[in-house]
Amino acid sequence: MTEPTYQGKPLSQLFPEERAGWKGYIEWEDCPERKAIGREILKTKKFTPSPEFQLAPIPDTNPVLIGWRYKEYHEALGLKHIVDHSWEIVQKEKPDMIHLLDFPYNGETRRDKLMEGKITDNKYHFIRNHGGVPEIDEDAFELEFGGLVNKPCNLTMKDLKDPNKFPQMELTVTLQCSGTRRIEQIKEYPGEGDELIQAPWGEGAIGTAVYRGVSLKKVLKIACGGLKPEAQHLEFIGADTYFKKLNIFNYAVSVPWRKVRNAEEVILAWEMNGKPLPKIHGYPLRVVVTGYIGARSAKWVYKINALAEPSMGPVQSQEYLYYTPQIGKHNVKYSNGFSIQNMPVSSAIIFPLDKKVIVHAGKIAMQGWSYSGGGNWVERVEVSPDGGHTWWAVPQEQLTQKHYHAWRLWQVEVPVEAEGWIEVCVRTWDSSNNTEPTFVRSAWNWGLHVTSSAHRIKLYSVNTTRPETAKRLAWLEEHGERIEDLTVPIKEGLEPLDEYLATVRKFPREPES
């Protein structure tokens, strides 16, 4: 097969993988001419529109959505091998996920795996990627420090892992996508569409792991001699390729220097739950930023720049912005939303499922997670069986251990007297006394980020302490029918004729004249 060319030059020469042992990595940030050529090629092509899933049904498939447009961007530049290799890695490392988007890969944790324990198994930890998955040999890897550092330098993985140079640390951290529970906002009011696809995340875009690595603060001090006085932000550049409005980038985000400086809250991690980072989680090195949205924890980080201002990378400057509800397609700008950094307090009911029929004897068992970012921790979880009028606190012994930077899983039995459809919700209070808005409308924003409202589900309550209910359940079982088949008509009559006549004659339906 003849290799595609542009103006007589093969695409593999225009967009080369220049570093030995760095498969799937193209340098864009240091190559403005390469960026310009790529843009010119993309401008000559037509690409598949992003799928409509906000105003149309979400496909009941796995993968749920197909990233045709992003795949076609890569193919137009001769980079289809990155797409194919990335999916191979998904199949090896994340086979049993909800594949919400096949490329760039977005994988949501299934409910049963989410609740298996405080620490999420690497195989089931959610993934939100913005590009393909590079495969970088640890021995070939170097991390570059530049910008407003006192002493620019390069460090190998051997350098970083040397405890005589940099003290190592472990930290238990919950990472959460800012799109967690986005589906609730979409169902109320659709919002922004995006060429990368604003994936319709449910409650599983969150996970907790124990990361091992070194403090970025200490690496900057020891290896770089600190920062220049004008440095206010640290930019993290990842080896994955990112597209925005036909422009091409390496993934780039930033966090304020004060976040790095004030505590050991930003680490360079090479280990996840006692094992080397999975390739899809950023092997051989990633940033872990505690308490912030997951997008700031750059994977495959190979360059860190000290800057006077936040990164101008589009993920930092043009995305993950929080808008007032008055902002939409008619007036949205990059400048009229604020950048989302710390994650607010949030929670979710994982079991039972929404719209489920629950047969109980006056109490309904529930399980879920609660989390707060920014160094806050979960203090109290409350569940309401009546839509938010009365609240029952989860006993402390039924919550997992507190951590500064991690969630708490919880379980509780909530008293329920009512029968028929009820609305159950959960809210969390954190260590700064923050809690969640009562309704999703209060949290809605054009970018569909940070669904921080009380999580609500509807249940069909069947209370066996009620004599008539117990009698009906026994009758259904005797006749081979199930109450759980809620909308299936009962095959027999609802009551014997003599009972019916006795009741309506005792309490006539028509008034006397």
Side-chain angles (χ1 to χ4, degrees), residues 214-266:
V214 292
S215 160
L216 175 58
K217 173 185 175 181
K218 291 182 178 176
V219 173
L220 290 168
K221 180 180 179 180
I222 296 169
C224 302
L227 306 186
K228 297 182 184 299
E230 59 268 35
Q232 296 296 319
H233 298 266
L234 276 303
E235 179 184 52
F236 312 130
I237 300 181
D240 41 337
T241 292
Y242 186 75
F243 296 87
K244 183 76 173 180
K245 309 295 185 187
L246 302 186
N247 292 304
I248 313 163
F249 308 85
N250 293 110
Y251 185 86
V253 291
S254 64
V255 300
W257 168 225
R258 67 178 181 276
K259 173 69 175 175
V260 179
R261 181 187 64 222
N262 289 345
E264 308 294 349
E265 295 189 347
V266 182

Side-chain angles (χ1 to χ4, degrees), residues 260-509:
V260 179
R261 181 187 64 222
N262 289 345
E264 308 294 349
E265 295 189 347
V266 182
I267 67 174
L268 301 175
W270 57 76
E271 196 173 278
M272 182 178 181
N273 291 333
K275 300 177 182 178
L277 282 171
K279 293 174 184 177
I280 203 166
H281 280 280
Y283 179 88
L285 190 71
R286 73 171 299 168
V287 181
V288 176
V289 183
T290 65
Y292 271 33
I293 62 172
R296 307 299 179 230
S297 293
K299 298 184 281 289
W300 313 289
V301 62
Y302 71 98
K303 188 181 298 185
I304 296 178
N305 295 319
L307 306 175
E309 297 181 314
S311 171
M312 285 304 295
V315 179
Q316 187 70 40
S317 62
Q318 300 176 17
E319 299 176 13
Y320 296 98
L321 303 174
Y322 202 86
Y323 298 103
T324 168
Q326 295 297 313
I327 297 293
K329 194 170 186 176
H330 56 288
N331 60 359
V332 65
K333 299 177 182 178
Y334 300 134
S335 60
N336 59 9
F338 66 80
S339 185
I340 306 168
Q341 299 280 51
N342 282 323
M343 284 300 291
V345 60
S346 60
S347 54
I349 300 166
I350 302 302
F351 294 112
L353 303 180
D354 186 39
K355 305 288 179 67
K356 192 171 181 61
V357 176
I358 304 295
V359 179
H360 61 93
K363 290 185 177 181
I364 293 180
M366 303 178 67
Q367 299 179 60
W369 57 257
S370 294
Y371 172 67
S372 189
N376 294 303
W377 57 91
V378 171
E379 279 289 356
R380 187 166 71 221
V381 179
E382 297 175 335
V383 178
S384 171
D386 55 10
H389 294 284
T390 56
W391 295 90
W392 297 81
V394 176
Q396 285 293 321
E397 59 269 22
Q398 291 173 223
L399 288 100
T400 55
Q401 180 184 359
K402 291 180 186 177
H403 289 270
Y404 279 109
H405 306 297
W407 66 4
R408 300 181 78 181
L409 304 183
W410 53 266
Q411 57 183 353
V412 68
E413 287 191 334
V414 183
V416 176
E417 283 294 321
E419 293 196 286
W421 285 110
I422 61 173
E423 188 169 67
V424 180
C425 52
V426 61
R427 70 182 180 190
T428 295
W429 296 85
D430 72 11
S431 54
S432 293
N433 213 38
N434 300 308
T435 192
E436 301 168 69
T438 305
F439 297 100
V440 70
R441 180 66 180 92
S442 301
W444 185 90
N445 60 97
W446 177 241
L448 303 172
H449 292 293
V450 191
T451 310
S452 59
S453 55
H455 185 216
R456 296 171 174 272
I457 63 171
K458 294 179 173 63
L459 300 175
Y460 193 85
S461 169
V462 181
N463 191 339
T464 59
T465 65
R466 302 288 180 87
E468 286 296 322
T469 297
K471 181 179 177 182
R472 173 57 57 86
L473 292 177
W475 186 91
L476 288 172
E477 183 177 3
E478 181 183 340
H479 289 76
E481 300 189 47
R482 291 167 14 102
I483 190 67
E484 289 79 6
D485 299 325
L486 187 64
T487 61
V488 176
I490 294 176
K491 296 174 184 177
E492 303 290 336
L494 298 182
E495 61 184 319
L497 180 60
D498 57 342
E499 289 185 12
Y500 166 79
L501 291 173
T503 300
V504 297
R505 286 169 180 169
K506 184 176 181 180
F507 305 105
R509 289 177 171 171

Side-chain angles (χ1 to χ4, degrees), residues 134-238:
E135 188 167 356
I136 303 172
D137 291 342
E138 180 173 320
D139 292 340
F141 177 81
E142 279 193 337
L143 176 61
E144 177 184 342
F145 289 87
L148 299 173
V149 296
N150 287 324
K151 186 174 67 174
C153 67
N154 286 26
L155 297 174
T156 65
M157 286 302 300
K158 186 176 180 181
D159 293 328
L160 289 167
K161 288 184 173 182
D162 186 347
N164 295 316
K165 294 181 179 180
F166 307 107
Q168 298 184 8
M169 60 180 293
E170 284 190 346
L171 209 55
T172 302
V173 180
T174 293
L175 292 180
Q176 181 181 16
C177 179
S178 73
T180 308
R181 296 175 44 201
R182 174 176 285 141
I183 189 65
E184 296 166 51
Q185 292 197 53
I186 290 174
K187 287 179 178 178
E188 288 284 327
Y189 307 97
E192 181 181 31
D194 190 84
E195 59 194 305
L196 180 56
I197 301 178
Q198 298 275 51
W201 294 100
E203 298 82 27
I206 187 171
T208 300
V210 179
Y211 294 95
R212 185 172 186 81
V214 292
S215 160
L216 175 58
K217 173 185 175 181
K218 291 182 178 176
V219 173
L220 290 168
K221 180 180 179 180
I222 296 169
C224 302
L227 306 186
K228 297 182 184 299
E230 59 268 35
Q232 296 296 319
H233 298 266
L234 276 303
E235 179 184 52
F236 312 130
I237 300 181

Side-chain angles (χ1 to χ4, degrees), residues 11-57:
L11 295 184
S12 61
Q13 293 182 18
L14 293 172
F15 314 114
E17 295 182 354
E18 298 168 297
R19 297 192 187 185
W22 290 56
K23 185 177 181 180
Y25 157 70
I26 314 294
E27 177 58 47
W28 300 102
E29 298 311 303
D30 292 340
C31 303
E33 291 184 3
R34 184 178 294 168
K35 282 189 171 191
I37 292 170
R39 177 172 171 79
E40 288 304 311
I41 292 174
L42 294 178
K43 286 167 63 177
T44 67
K45 309 289 185 179
K46 290 187 177 181
F47 300 103
T48 302
S50 297
E52 175 58 74
F53 59 88
Q54 296 194 52
L55 297 172

